[in-house]
Amino acid sequence: MTAEWIDGVAIGEAIKAEVARDVEILRERGIVPGLTAVLVGEHPASKIYVRNKVKASHQLGIRSEQRELDASVTSSGLLRVVDELNQRDDVDGILVQLPLPGHVDAKAILRAVSPDKDVDGFHPLNVGRLCIGAEGLRPCTPVGILEMLRRSGVPLQGTRAVVVGRSDIVGKPLALLLLHQHATVTICHSRTRNLPQVCREADLLVAAMGKPGMITSDYVRPGAVVVDVGINRVSEAERVADYFGDDPARMEDFQKKGYALVGDVHPRSVKRVASRMTPVPGGVGPLTIAMLMSNTVRAAKLRRGLQV
Ligand code: GUN
């Protein structure tokens, strides 16, 4: 058996095309949705993520800007920036890219973002709304995964879902969303006993713990659907060959670049047992950006009392 890939790029493009149509309708009414991304310091991955978010906004007709702050910015300095963005009428979405430097009180910053402009869904009010299933802005990666599963026809009701990873950004909110879709959900983490055995109960297995290639076929029930949220850079040739030795295109790409991106799932091992799985890159990543665009337009409508 070889798993079928779930094409996150194609699904992300379809969502973005729908969002672009929504933007056009708003623009005809004189409303231009606006997104501001705040980037603190020189975190290389964060810079790439923010650049991609701003680029996607422009493609869709969303007004977008990037605020870059020095890594030495204080919590109160950052709070002032957030407050200014909260006040601005042309800003519908505010995104403070994580991680923030250690000396900044990240929780205080996320609490300061107006819940109406919180396109990441990280404000405690939106977290609470998600928890009780009330209307609100939801975190982009978890809703992106749900949307991907829905559009791929993966059933959730009554199924067993296992989420490995308990982060506030992915694991916890995703578990709640799956629960609301009537899956039976287990959240696992680094201290879970018999992890492979628990994972093997899953009809849907989600790897979101940030450990390159950790989920091998031992963790996967034959026929399960596997979603890989991890993104890790690997440059040791031996490990890359272990992950992608059966994939000439990926090996060639590694020879050219000197590194490969691998998720938390061991691709060569798991594709022999899973029925469907998401690739890295080109799986969950494009969905995160597509849902950020969708959240920005939603925030623009909600703030003006328009139908969402
Ligand atoms: N860092 C990693 N993922 C995310 C995300 O979805 N939003 C923000 N703001 N920062 C992140």
Side-chain angles (χ1 to χ4, degrees), residues 11-271:
I11 299 172
E13 288 303 318
I15 295 170
K16 284 196 290 183
E18 291 165 20
V19 174
R21 278 197 291 278
D22 257 15
V23 173
E24 214 175 290
I25 293 166
L26 286 175
R27 278 177 168 261
E28 279 162 11
R29 299 170 69 168
I31 300 164
V32 182
L35 172 69
T36 302
V38 180
L39 176 64
V40 180
E42 298 291 321
H43 198 274
S46 290
K47 278 178 141 174
I48 296 169
Y49 295 148
V50 168
R51 199 195 311 141
N52 289 338
K53 289 168 183 179
V54 170
K55 201 169 94 185
S57 306
H58 289 149
Q59 281 168 355
L60 271 52
I62 293 173
R63 195 195 55 73
S64 169
E65 62 180 11
Q66 186 172 330
R67 286 288 283 272
E68 290 181 36
L69 302 171
D70 197 83
S72 65
V73 71
T74 58
S75 293
S76 54
L78 190 47
L79 284 171
R80 272 196 301 278
V81 171
V82 168
D83 200 47
E84 177 211 316
L85 298 173
N86 283 340
Q87 308 289 338
R88 267 176 54 188
D89 198 47
D90 61 334
V91 174
D92 295 291
I94 302 168
L95 176 151
V96 182
Q97 187 66 26
L98 302 177
L100 290 169
H103 66 272
V104 172
D105 184 349
K107 286 208 162 89
I109 305 298
L110 298 181
R111 257 198 324 271
V113 173
S114 165
D116 299 340
K117 299 188 177 187
D118 173 33
V119 283
D120 262 326
F122 293 165
H123 188 285
L125 185 64
N126 283 319
V127 176
R129 286 168 171 159
L130 164 61
C131 191
I132 62 171
E135 179 114 330
L137 291 164
R138 309 279 199 241
C140 304
T141 301
V143 277
I145 293 170
L146 263 279
E147 196 54 28
M148 169 191 261
L149 296 171
R150 190 180 70 77
R151 290 177 189 236
S152 305
V154 174
L156 295 174
Q157 183 164 313
T159 63
R160 293 291 303 261
V162 174
V163 179
V164 189
R166 53 177 158 178
S167 71
D168 292 338
I169 296 184
V170 181
K172 276 190 252 177
L174 177 62
L176 286 166
L177 289 168
L178 291 168
L179 186 62
H180 294 157
Q181 294 303 312
H182 314 289
T184 301
V185 184
T186 304
I187 307 179
C188 299
H189 45 79
S190 52
R191 297 187 205 173
T192 298
R193 260 186 267 139
N194 305 326
L195 182 62
Q197 190 185 327
V198 179
C199 290
R200 277 199 305 271
E201 289 179 13
D203 300 302
L204 171 69
L205 178 62
V206 183
M209 66 292 180
K211 296 264 179 286
M214 192 184 102
I215 300 294
T216 57
S217 59
D218 296 345
Y219 292 68
V220 181
R221 176 152 92 191
V225 175
V226 179
V227 172
D228 191 352
V229 186
I231 179 150
N232 313 280
R233 219 180 227 248
V234 181
S235 32
E236 298 96 321
E238 210 172 286
R239 284 177 70 197
V240 173
D242 181 30
Y243 298 138
F244 301 112
D246 61 339
D247 187 336
R250 291 297 297 263
M251 290 308 291
E252 198 176 308
D253 194 52
F254 166 65
Q255 302 300 346
K256 249 189 272 164
K257 291 194 178 133
Y259 70 89
L261 294 176
V262 68
D264 294 348
V265 173
H266 191 305
R268 190 170 55 88
S269 174
V270 170
K271 74 179 171 204

